[in-house]
Amino acid sequence: MPKSNMQKIMVIGCPGSGKSTFARALHDITGLPLYHLDMLYWNADRTTVQKEVFLARLAETIEKDSWIIDGNYGSTMELRLQACDTVFFLDYPLDVCMDGIISRRGKERPDMPWIESEDDVDEEFVEFVKNYNSENRPEVVTLLEKYADKEIIIFKSRTKADDFLRELEENYEGH
């Protein structure tokens, strides 16, 4: 169980791992403000904001007294690691993440400004997910090792993450 003084929390992991769902549950338990990187970066028409706009939005968020930020965005991960006190890394197998991506199609999500349709398959994105554990995960692990002074909680399964949330809710001082 992490320290109960979590104020600045990062939730990271492969797309489809359930970062946003986990972050929403953390928000519900702690009451900390929740920010989704996808909402800072994407427009509803599936275009992205300019990099300067995204970075300004992120900087404004990081400067707040408390937050939960969900999302990877490797180019800004170290910036968030410097500012956070706690990291949750949903380090799940590929099949779990692929199932997560498939199951969310056609559903409205508070972490995305559009709904992915059932037949809306972004092959480039699927390829990114398939390569995440070999290409992106090592960089994430290296950064986590660099910031080992942070409270870092790594989950290898949804069951472990769900158990943690249940225990946190039972013991959270803010309740």
Side-chain angles (χ1 to χ4, degrees), residues 36-94:
H36 304 285
L37 290 181
D38 283 338
M39 294 298 282
L40 301 179
Y41 184 73
W42 291 97
N43 294 309
D45 65 359
R46 298 182 188 222
T47 60
T48 59
V49 299
Q50 292 181 320
K51 186 170 186 170
E52 299 76 35
V53 172
F54 172 66
L55 292 174
R57 288 175 177 176
L58 180 58
E60 184 181 323
T61 302
I62 287 174
E63 289 169 16
K64 296 181 186 304
D65 291 335
S66 60
W67 39 259
I68 299 169
I69 298 176
D70 115 66
N72 279 334
Y73 289 73
S75 64
T76 64
M77 192 171 292
E78 188 160 15
L79 181 69
R80 286 174 282 128
L81 276 165
Q82 291 165 354
C84 78
D85 54 53
T86 307
V87 179
F88 290 96
F89 180 24
L90 308 185
D91 190 18
Y92 300 159
L94 172 62

Side-chain angles (χ1 to χ4, degrees), residues 20-35:
S20 298
T21 302
F22 183 87
R24 277 193 303 280
L26 265 181
H27 162 75
D28 290 346
I29 294 166
T30 64
L32 295 173
L34 174 57
Y35 303 92

